[in-house]
Amino acid sequence: MFPRILPLLFAVLLAVPALADEIDCVTTEWKLLGANHKVCVYAFEDPDIPGVTCYLSQARTGGISGAVGVAEDPSEFSIDCRQTGQAAVPDKLPKSKKVFSEGTSVLFKDTTVTRMWDAKRKALIYLAISRKIIAGSPKNSLSTVVLR
């Protein structure tokens, strides 16, 4: 019974739509077989604060495993967030909230972005981290948007 459920689980996981728009990718290493290793840049808007856009660059593994979508991407990324329109903080903004998540391996690893609100300084803080279900990673990247 379990072997019949596994392909269905993979199909569901691969069918989840991306939460970010891919801007472009740059090849970092050419591979003879399969996809090249690359760094891709994505843009996503804060779901609660219109007018704030974050740009996330992330390393993508190539080769045959990367081409078929089973490679584990490295925990290498950077984030930069900017005010790209009229931005206003809602009255009841939680102090911390996950605003973006993307899988970087088939099942057990993802990159998440958590937004924090520093009310005293009127600053939005975006923290990108890589997480595994069993063992995490200290790699992180930080960006702030100060609202005036």
Side-chain angles (χ1 to χ4, degrees):
M1 175 149 179
F2 183 74
R4 283 187 258 164
I5 295 173
L6 196 57
L8 180 61
L9 177 64
F10 283 164
V12 169
L13 288 172
L14 294 175
V16 174
L19 299 174
D21 298 324
E22 184 177 296
I23 303 298
D24 203 359
C25 298
V26 175
T27 296
T28 58
E29 184 180 338
W30 186 81
K31 302 300 281 181
L32 183 60
L33 297 174
N36 293 333
H37 292 318
K38 56 191 172 183
V39 172
C40 295
V41 176
Y42 303 91
F44 68 92
E45 296 174 2
D46 187 312
D48 301 320
I49 305 173
V52 174
T53 304
C54 292
Y55 296 90
L56 182 72
S57 67
Q58 189 150 25
R60 297 291 182 206
T61 301
I64 295 172
S65 61
V68 296
V70 296
E72 181 173 321
D73 292 327
S75 299
E76 297 171 10
F77 49 83
S78 180
I79 189 168
D80 188 34
C81 301
R82 292 285 184 249
Q83 186 172 341
T84 54
Q86 199 70 335
V89 175
D91 292 336
K92 297 192 182 214
L93 187 71
K95 185 172 173 96
S96 179
K97 179 182 177 183
K98 182 170 34 169
V99 293
F100 176 81
S101 182
E102 180 179 64
T104 52
S105 75
V106 176
L107 292 175
F108 302 114
K109 184 177 177 186
D110 64 355
T111 298
T112 63
V113 177
T114 301
R115 180 198 60 235
M116 300 169 197
W117 172 235
D118 180 354
K120 180 178 178 182
R121 293 166 192 85
K122 294 186 172 54
L124 298 164
I125 303 154
Y126 294 87
L127 175 67
I129 62 169
S130 178
R131 299 183 336 157
K132 283 188 173 183
I133 289 178
I134 298 182
S137 168
K139 295 186 180 183
N140 62 82
S141 184
L142 183 76
S143 183
T144 60
V145 176
V146 178
L147 301 177
R148 304 264 178 220

